[in-house]
Amino acid sequence: MTELEKEIETALPRFENENPLYFKPKDLLDWETTWDFGEYDANIYNHGLHQYPARFIPQLARKIIRTFATEESHVLDIFSGSGTTLLECKYLGIKKSYGIELNPFGIFMAKTKLQDVDENQVAEKFAEIQKKFFDAEFKFEILSFKNIAFWYKENVISELSKLLAIFSQIEDEKTRNFYLLVFCEISRKVSFLDHGGFKMYRSRAKIKNGFSPDVWAEFERTAKRNILLLSETNRLPFAHDNSGEQNLILGDSRFVQSEIPEHSIDLILTSPPYGDSKTTVAYGQYSRLPWQWLSQKDDIIQLDAKLLGGSTKKLDRSILDFSEKLKSQCAEIERVDDSKRVNDVIAFYNDLYATLSSATHYMKKGGRFILVTGNRTVKKVYLRTDTIITEFARMLGYTNEKIYSRNIINKRMASKNSPTNEKGKTMSTMMTENIIVLRKD
């Protein structure tokens, strides 16, 4: 039995009284072979308050945290997205957890999901919101931002503006943020967006069929669902226990964040971007409309260019010397097509290496770095990100203990992408992920 297997087996008793909405392993073999979680609901508790591209499955995060962390641990997610890892740390009573995220909308989502707020207090505000919404005398300003009329009908713009004006009068910040997050979800639903992916395309079907959304009905439905989720969250053992501390950092994981002490982290659990933001998962485009409504700013339009691999300027090809697999696969892409796609690949892995290097600054000796990632295809070349990461990790002083595989069943992904970037030529997106378990030497 390996040291990893011994540690997993030692941790199994921690699952004895596990919540039935989460995975409870029967034995070591069950722990090592169960990763899909297709029969579980990913939208439990505050996880379900708002969707996000390629969101972590709570059951996956819970399994890893419960196994490799204790209540005294410090846990970090360097790509925290909408806060799944930090939520699970909160629910498990982990002493201290950190999340680094470049997307300000992701930070807002995570902050709202993590906040403690009484569902009765939130529910009491609903009737007041409804009364004001249907009050013809209620005064409000019709808001505007770049291309708003392209994405919304005129009456929808007016009704969404009215909702925001109503929310601005809610004095309690937590209650206000709760309803703002509801607003963020419906702001996408009542737009002309095609929801088949995460990029911003107008739906031809909506335009052709005279799309006429009912803003209040969407708001009411979503608000009531979220109040129910909040009430279920508030019944959890650690829902109001402030012994754990969650810290959100709006920042770039390629650089060391001063808020996290050096050599303080016991476990890093994260799911880095797959490098496909230009073809599939465009986080900035997904977040654009709700963030424009919330902030009245257009700065998020530039977000995708700031993500890993977003810029090929000042490209450093020396990264190819850090991974034989990356070097050989880039050569293969260049043989197939000498376009800039190989530069996109190199830029992504340059940035990915920078995040691994910065993360190492925080890691304790003997700590675990667990990455959930996928291998994408570029110009019909199947990039082995799992192998490339382990080669990078060896350079940074880690031992690769194990790589597990999972089928992507309930992780929210677009069904098609365009790895060739040729109009009309699409392929199915990746259907499997790898769980890479590294240990700091």
Side-chain angles (χ1 to χ4, degrees):
M1 184 179 287
T2 66
E3 289 300 316
L4 175 63
E5 290 169 337
K6 289 177 183 177
E7 187 169 343
I8 295 168
E9 195 163 67
T10 300
L12 291 179
R14 299 176 196 163
F15 290 86
E16 185 176 352
N17 298 314
E18 183 60 281
N19 183 326
L21 297 181
Y22 293 89
F23 169 65
K24 179 179 178 179
K26 302 180 184 69
D27 51 31
L28 176 61
L29 179 62
D30 193 29
W31 190 100
E32 291 210 296
T33 56
T34 304
W35 294 102
D36 297 352
F37 308 115
E39 70 274 29
Y40 291 89
D41 183 3
N43 292 311
I44 54 175
Y45 306 125
N46 280 7
H47 293 294
L49 294 182
H50 198 290
Q51 300 303 308
Y52 194 64
R55 182 164 59 91
F56 241 166
I57 303 304
Q59 290 78 12
L60 173 60
R62 175 79 149 233
K63 172 182 175 178
I64 292 172
I65 296 167
R66 196 181 275 287
T67 302
F68 296 110
T70 67
E71 289 183 12
E72 294 302 309
S73 295
H74 291 195
V75 177
L76 167 65
D77 187 342
I78 60 173
F79 298 100
S80 60
S82 61
T84 302
T85 297
L86 273 70
L87 267 177
E88 284 306 316
C89 284
K90 178 182 175 71
Y91 297 161
L92 288 169
I94 299 299
K95 185 174 183 178
K96 189 169 285 190
S97 56
Y98 299 89
I100 305 172
E101 177 55 42
L102 191 60
N103 184 353
F105 181 52
I107 292 288
F108 174 75
M109 279 190 283
K111 175 186 175 182
T112 305
K113 290 179 179 183
L114 285 164
Q115 70 182 8
D116 293 321
V117 59
D118 187 278
E119 71 271 17
N120 295 314
Q121 179 179 333
V122 170
E124 285 172 5
K125 278 292 174 187
F126 182 84
E128 182 181 323
I129 293 169
Q130 184 174 26
K131 182 179 179 180
K132 289 180 178 179
F133 184 82
F134 289 103
D135 179 2
E137 301 301 318
F138 183 84
K139 304 297 182 183
F140 65 97
E141 177 187 356
I142 296 180
L143 301 176
S144 181
F145 52 77
K146 186 175 181 179
N147 294 331
I148 190 171
F150 182 79
W151 297 109
Y152 296 97
K153 296 183 71 172
E154 186 176 349
N155 68 302
V156 172
I157 295 172
S158 177
E159 291 175 7
L160 289 175
S161 297
K162 189 172 189 178
L163 276 176
L164 280 183
I166 294 168
F167 299 155
S168 70
Q169 297 181 353
I170 300 175
E171 293 183 2
D172 181 69
E173 181 185 6
K174 292 180 179 180
T175 302
R176 184 169 65 249
N177 285 345
F178 175 89
Y179 281 112
L180 285 174
L181 195 59
V182 173
F183 176 93
C184 289
E185 181 166 337
I186 72 162
S187 72
R188 287 177 49 83
K189 289 181 178 178
V190 301
S191 72
F192 284 119
L193 278 171
D194 182 336
H195 298 297
F198 303 122
K199 287 192 170 185
M200 295 186 73
Y201 297 111
R202 288 215 302 178
S203 168
R204 293 180 181 178
K206 285 182 178 180
I207 295 169
K208 180 180 178 181
N209 298 326
F211 179 58
S212 184
D214 186 330
V215 171
W216 177 256
E218 290 289 356
F219 172 76
E220 182 176 29
R221 185 183 307 115
T222 306
K224 289 183 175 179
R225 180 203 69 192
N226 284 10
I227 291 171
L228 179 60
L229 288 169
L230 181 60
S231 67
E232 292 170 350
T233 298
N234 285 342
R235 291 197 292 269
L236 289 171
F238 286 97
H240 303 288
D241 185 342
N242 293 318
S243 60
E245 178 185 325
Q246 302 84 42
N247 303 275
L248 288 165
I249 301 166
L250 177 61
D252 190 331
S253 291
R254 285 167 284 203
F255 305 100
V256 171
Q257 304 298 314
S258 60
E259 296 93 329
I260 308 173
E262 185 177 8
H263 307 317
S264 65
I265 300 298
D266 301 283
L267 170 66
I268 298 179
L269 169 60
T270 198
S271 182
Y274 301 153
D276 57 356
S277 64
K278 294 181 181 180
T279 57
T280 310
V281 185
Y283 296 92
Q285 291 192 45
Y286 176 85
S287 307
R288 187 179 300 177
L289 291 180
W291 187 248
Q292 285 178 306
W293 279 108
L294 288 191
S295 69
Q296 295 297 292
K297 295 178 182 177
D298 298 325
D299 54 347
I300 202 166
I301 291 174
Q302 305 301 322
L303 178 66
D304 289 320
K306 297 177 182 178
L307 299 177
L308 302 195
S311 174
T312 57
K313 295 179 181 178
K314 299 180 181 179
L315 194 66
D316 184 1
R317 295 179 68 96
S318 65
I319 193 70
L320 300 179
D321 296 329
F322 295 178
S323 167
E324 287 300 319
K325 177 58 73 173
L326 178 60
K327 181 185 290 186
S328 65
Q329 296 207 293
C330 283
E332 190 175 351
I333 293 171
E334 287 182 304
R335 284 195 295 271
V336 173
D337 186 293
D338 61 359
S339 74
K340 67 174 185 176
R341 291 310 301 280
V342 72
N343 289 338
D344 292 337
V345 171
I346 293 171
F348 170 75
Y349 287 108
N350 256 320
D351 287 347
L352 181 59
Y353 183 86
T355 66
L356 302 181
S357 179
S358 292
T360 302
H361 173 85
Y362 317 122
M363 181 66 77
K364 286 181 179 177
K365 184 177 181 180
R368 284 228 166 62
F369 195 161
I370 300 180
L371 302 100
V372 181
T373 188
N375 298 332
R376 67 188 180 112
T377 300
V378 173
K379 292 295 179 180
K380 300 182 180 179
V381 176
Y382 183 64
L383 292 172
R384 291 299 304 268
T385 298
D386 54 342
T387 302
I388 294 166
I389 285 176
T390 59
E391 291 178 341
F392 284 170
R394 195 178 307 121
M395 295 279 296
L396 293 167
Y398 292 91
T399 296
N400 174 31
E401 292 189 297
K402 190 95 174 185
I403 298 180
Y404 300 98
S405 180
R406 70 178 296 267
N407 296 309
I408 301 175
I409 296 174
N410 49 9
K411 192 168 187 177
R412 189 163 186 263
M413 297 282 289
S415 60
K416 297 285 185 180
N417 70 353
S418 179
T420 62
N421 266 2
E422 296 176 57
K423 188 176 181 179
K425 292 188 177 181
T426 62
M427 293 177 61
S428 296
T429 51
M430 63 188 73
M431 300 307 295
T432 61
E433 289 178 318
N434 298 300
I435 298 95
I436 304 168
V437 182
L438 307 171
R439 189 181 186 103
K440 185 74 177 70
D441 296 335

